[in-house]
Amino acid sequence: MNKSKTTILKSAFLFIILIICLSIIFIFGNKNVKSFTEEPVSKDGVLDLRNWDFDKQGIAKLNGQWEFYYDKLLTPEDFQSKNKPVKTGLLNIPGNFINYIYKGQPLSGQGYATYRLKVLTNNVEDLYAIKTEYIQTSYKLWVNGKVVTQSGKVGKSKTEMVSKVAPGLGAFYDKTGEIEIVLQTCNYYYGVPQIDTILLGTEAQISENRARSMGFDLFLFGSTLVAGIYNFALFLRRKKDKATLYFSIVCALVGLRTILVGERLIYNIFPNMNYILDLKLLLWTFFLYIPMLVLFIDSFYPKLLNKVIVKGSSIIGIVYFFVILILPTIYYNDLILPFEIISNFLLLYILYKLIHRYFTEGQKCEMVIIAIFLLFITRFNDILYEYSIIQTGSYAPVGMLIFIFAQSYALADRFSMAFSNVEEMTEKLKSIDRLKDDFLAITSHELKTPLNGIIGLSESLVSGIYDPSSNEQNETLRLIQARAKRLSNLDNDILDFSKLKNNDVNLNMKAVDIRQLTNIVIKSCNPFLRNKDLNIVNSIGIDMPWAYGDENRIQQILYNLI
């Protein structure tokens, strides 16, 4: 009955948490979709923002149809001439020109092009700013005839261009109420010439947006760095536990990925970083952190995951690592979707096994279950967002941050419980040790009483208090006496051991004749030498100075040595 009640309570708890998480995701997603549908969208290369209040409605997205000029690198001056260039057509941004029909043939992902958009506003003399977030693999952007931002170097061939994917920001004045935006792009290295949403707002809004994004990236990087260093230090202290090593590697991969995406903070450290190296690092962190997470879960929760799945996950990670190392960058994009499917399957599998153990074995892992669930939801959301199926935004970094915090708490909780168990066991061992000492003392006392009786009886027989016996009987009695004294010495050893543990040994210090004491010990050992070709000789000289010590303890030592 109690077990059923506990299962019901656990189910209710997880269900409530699940509803809360889904509600938050739905609210944010619905808010973003609603915001997206309310924003104006450009048509035929013109975006009308005359009814858009930047102060109240915030930053505008320059989404919709842009004029598209394929195989041309045009400048604003080209559009001012009498012979204006003929546009190839219209292209939706965010998007790319793959499979766009040009001269009767679908376009590939390689080539160069120019995009143009005209924005109408009613806020003349305002200071605006424009922000690009992700454009493959180089671009140059003009606003009203002036270059405001660029990344890499645009060229008409692979040898002319310099690839660099980095966010850009530029400010400008709108003096006429009409903003002309000209964007040159080229791509010869990556499979998809993707252009993500370009943002337009006041200079203060765009600067705040970038500062907020950089702040979150720095917070995520710092959090993962600290968690990684801490767990690696724990591993160095206890190398038997591999879970902390795997978790530190997961944190390192997530931390490195954080500065390679978003605001791409890596370029603040290495402004001239090679694009191919940047891309390989980006994909390595993407393809490796899920297999490492599986290894961590397998180590942290023993016997939870099927060993075949764990090994398969590791093999997939290794294969992807070497594929990225060897394969040309133009094919990288084709590897992402299959891995996303595998990764989400692994997360669902981990989630199922954790929930099953939570209900069947009662293991305390509620926070980890919630964190894995949120990680799965945010990753799945990002897949749909990347393919423009939904317009919610990218939340995978948030999901990963929640997972790191939750798992750090779980690790701390486990170490805290282990420390408490150690303290409890220490107290138990101390109690057992005290019982052992008491047992030794009682045993010593119980042994000493009959031994003293045996020794007294044998001494009386030898001294002739009773009827005299034959020499053979006397010899036998002496042997009984010697062995009884030996048992008495052993009993003294046990008692001394007990006293030593409690620092309670009393010594009767006086002058001791070592030669005479040795003779006594040798005589007590003679009965043991019968029928043996062995003779013990005392070679201590008569002039040997007396020693200062406890006679009984010295005799005990000599007896144990002989």
Side-chain angles (χ1 to χ4, degrees):
M1 184 67 182
N2 291 333
K3 187 175 181 181
S4 300
K5 187 177 180 181
T6 303
T7 303
I8 293 171
L9 290 174
K10 288 181 177 180
S11 301
F13 173 75
L14 280 183
F15 180 75
I16 292 170
I17 294 296
L18 178 64
I19 292 299
I20 293 173
C21 294
L22 289 175
S23 300
I24 293 172
I25 293 170
F26 175 78
I27 291 170
F28 273 95
N30 189 55
K31 181 180 178 181
N32 281 320
V33 171
K34 184 178 179 181
S35 175
F36 178 75
T37 55
E38 289 178 350
E39 289 181 3
V41 178
S42 63
K43 296 181 180 179
D44 297 325
V46 179
L47 178 61
D48 191 349
L49 294 180
R50 285 176 292 187
N51 295 323
W52 184 264
D53 190 335
F54 285 96
D55 293 331
K56 295 181 179 179
Q57 296 173 284
I59 295 171
K61 298 176 181 178
L62 305 184
N63 292 348
Q65 296 177 336
W66 287 51
E67 294 179 4
F68 175 53
Y69 301 85
Y70 182 72
D71 210 25
K72 296 175 183 178
L73 293 179
L74 304 173
T75 63
E77 288 77 14
D78 294 320
F79 295 100
Q80 304 301 324
S81 63
K82 294 181 180 180
N83 298 323
K84 292 184 178 181
V86 179
K87 64 184 177 184
T88 306
L90 298 170
L91 194 70
N92 284 321
I93 301 296
N96 58 77
F97 56 72
I98 286 183
N99 295 326
Y100 188 94
I101 304 302
Y102 178 70
K103 295 181 180 180
Q105 298 292 328
L107 294 176
S108 67
Q110 283 66 56
Y112 54 92
T114 301
Y115 304 82
R116 182 171 178 261
L117 179 68
K118 188 178 290 184
V119 182
L120 305 178
T121 67
N122 57 8
N123 298 321
V124 182
E125 298 294 336
D126 272 2
L127 179 61
Y128 288 95
I130 194 168
K131 182 185 178 185
T132 62
E133 295 188 334
Y134 180 84
I135 299 177
Q136 285 283 3
T137 56
S138 62
Y139 70 89
K140 190 174 184 179
L141 189 144
W142 287 262
V143 176
N144 292 338
K146 295 182 179 180
V147 177
V148 294
T149 183
Q150 68 180 63
S151 179
K153 179 183 177 183
V154 180
K156 294 184 178 182
S157 66
K158 197 171 184 178
T159 56
E160 289 183 15
M161 72 168 296
V162 176
S163 295
K164 182 178 181 180
V165 179
L169 185 149
F172 60 92
Y173 276 103
D174 175 23
K175 298 180 180 180
T176 62
E178 183 175 304
I179 302 172
E180 181 192 48
I181 302 172
V182 177
L183 173 66
Q184 290 182 356
T185 69
C186 70
N187 174 55
Y188 290 98
Y189 284 93
Y190 199 63
V192 179
Q194 182 70 20
I195 301 176
D196 275 357
T197 297
I198 299 175
L199 305 177
L200 176 67
T202 65
E203 193 275 336
Q205 289 173 334
I206 295 295
S207 297
E208 182 183 354
N209 174 274
R210 186 176 188 183
R212 189 164 52 245
S213 297
M214 291 184 69
F216 177 76
D217 288 350
L218 287 170
F219 175 73
L220 181 56
F221 175 72
S223 301
T224 54
L225 181 65
V226 171
I229 293 174
Y230 173 73
N231 281 276
F232 187 70
L234 290 178
F235 168 72
L236 293 178
R237 297 286 293 178
R238 191 170 184 269
K239 295 183 179 180
K240 183 180 179 180
D241 185 8
K242 294 292 192 298
T244 51
L245 173 64
Y246 295 140
F247 190 64
S248 66
I249 295 174
V250 171
C251 291
L253 291 172
V254 174
L256 178 58
R257 182 170 177 79
T258 300
I259 61 175
L260 292 170
V261 298
E263 293 299 322
R264 298 184 179 261
L265 301 176
I266 190 72
Y267 286 114
N268 293 329
I269 306 171
F270 306 105
N272 298 317
M273 185 174 183
N274 181 270
Y275 169 79
I276 295 177
L277 175 60
D278 174 29
L279 188 58
K280 287 183 183 294
L281 288 174
L282 179 64
L283 292 177
W284 276 332
T285 57
F286 175 74
F287 290 135
L288 292 178
Y289 92 87
I290 290 294
M292 291 307 303
L293 188 145
V294 172
L295 286 174
F296 164 70
I297 294 293
D298 180 61
S299 179
F300 192 72
Y301 300 101
K303 299 180 181 179
L304 176 71
L305 306 180
N306 187 291
K307 293 300 179 183
V308 174
I309 291 180
V310 175
K311 188 175 181 179
S313 169
S314 301
I315 291 173
I316 290 172
I318 294 170
V319 169
Y320 266 94
F321 176 84
F322 285 104
V323 167
I324 294 300
L325 182 65
I326 298 170
L327 204 66
T329 56
I330 196 172
Y331 301 108
Y332 288 176
N333 188 70
D334 298 330
L335 303 173
I336 294 177
L337 184 59
F339 186 79
E340 284 282 15
I341 295 172
I342 295 172
S343 297
N344 284 305
F345 163 76
L346 290 172
L347 289 177
L348 282 176
Y349 173 70
I350 292 171
L351 188 62
Y352 163 74
K353 297 296 286 186
L354 284 172
I355 292 174
H356 182 266
R357 177 171 287 190
Y358 174 72
F359 284 113
T360 58
E361 300 181 18
Q363 184 164 359
K364 189 179 179 182
C365 53
E366 302 93 334
M367 290 191 65
V368 179
I369 291 173
I370 296 168
I372 292 288
F373 172 74
L374 289 176
L375 179 60
F376 167 75
I377 291 296
T378 52
R379 281 179 61 89
F380 188 70
N381 166 83
D382 279 23
I383 295 174
L384 300 180
Y385 175 71
E386 287 294 331
Y387 287 92
S388 300
I389 299 174
I390 59 175
Q391 297 294 329
T392 55
S394 178
Y395 296 117
V398 178
M400 198 62 216
L401 181 63
I402 292 172
F403 172 77
I404 288 175
F405 282 160
Q407 198 56 58
S408 296
Y409 173 82
L411 279 167
D413 185 60
R414 172 171 290 190
F415 283 124
S416 177
M417 291 181 62
F419 184 73
S420 298
N421 291 336
V422 168
E423 288 184 324
E424 184 178 346
M425 290 181 66
T426 301
E427 291 301 319
K428 288 182 179 179
L429 288 173
K430 287 180 179 179
S431 177
I432 293 171
D433 189 60
R434 286 192 294 269
L435 289 174
K436 180 262 299 176
D437 290 341
D438 293 342
F439 168 77
L440 291 176
I442 294 171
T443 303
S444 174
H445 176 74
E446 294 297 327
L447 285 172
K448 205 168 194 62
T449 301
L451 286 174
N452 287 333
I454 293 171
I455 295 169
L457 180 60
S458 62
E459 287 177 345
S460 297
L461 289 173
V462 172
S463 61
I465 294 176
Y466 296 99
D467 293 335
S469 302
S470 65
N471 292 333
E472 184 178 352
Q473 289 175 332
N474 282 332
E475 187 64 28
T476 302
L477 289 174
R478 289 191 185 93
L479 183 60
I480 293 172
Q481 181 182 354
R483 291 186 177 179
K485 288 183 177 180
R486 172 58 180 156
L487 285 174
S488 179
N489 288 333
L490 289 174
D491 178 72
N492 289 332
D493 289 346
I494 294 173
L495 187 60
D496 288 345
F497 176 78
S498 177
K499 290 182 177 180
L500 282 170
K501 294 287 289 183
N502 298 305
N503 296 320
D504 193 28
V505 177
N506 294 319
L507 299 177
N508 184 19
M509 306 297 289
K510 64 180 180 178
V512 179
D513 186 350
I514 297 296
R515 185 175 185 276
Q516 184 61 29
L517 190 61
T518 303
N519 285 331
I520 295 172
V521 172
I522 291 173
K523 287 180 180 179
S524 65
C525 293
N526 283 333
F528 297 102
L529 303 179
R530 296 177 64 185
N531 302 322
K532 293 183 180 179
D533 188 16
L534 183 64
N535 185 31
I536 301 175
V537 178
N538 185 0
S539 298
I540 301 175
I542 300 176
D543 56 348
M544 178 72 178
W546 287 28
Y548 182 73
D550 188 316
E551 183 176 357
N552 291 330
R553 305 300 177 192
I554 297 173
Q555 183 178 353
Q556 186 178 351
I557 293 169
L558 291 173
Y559 195 90
N560 288 335
L561 289 174
I562 296 176

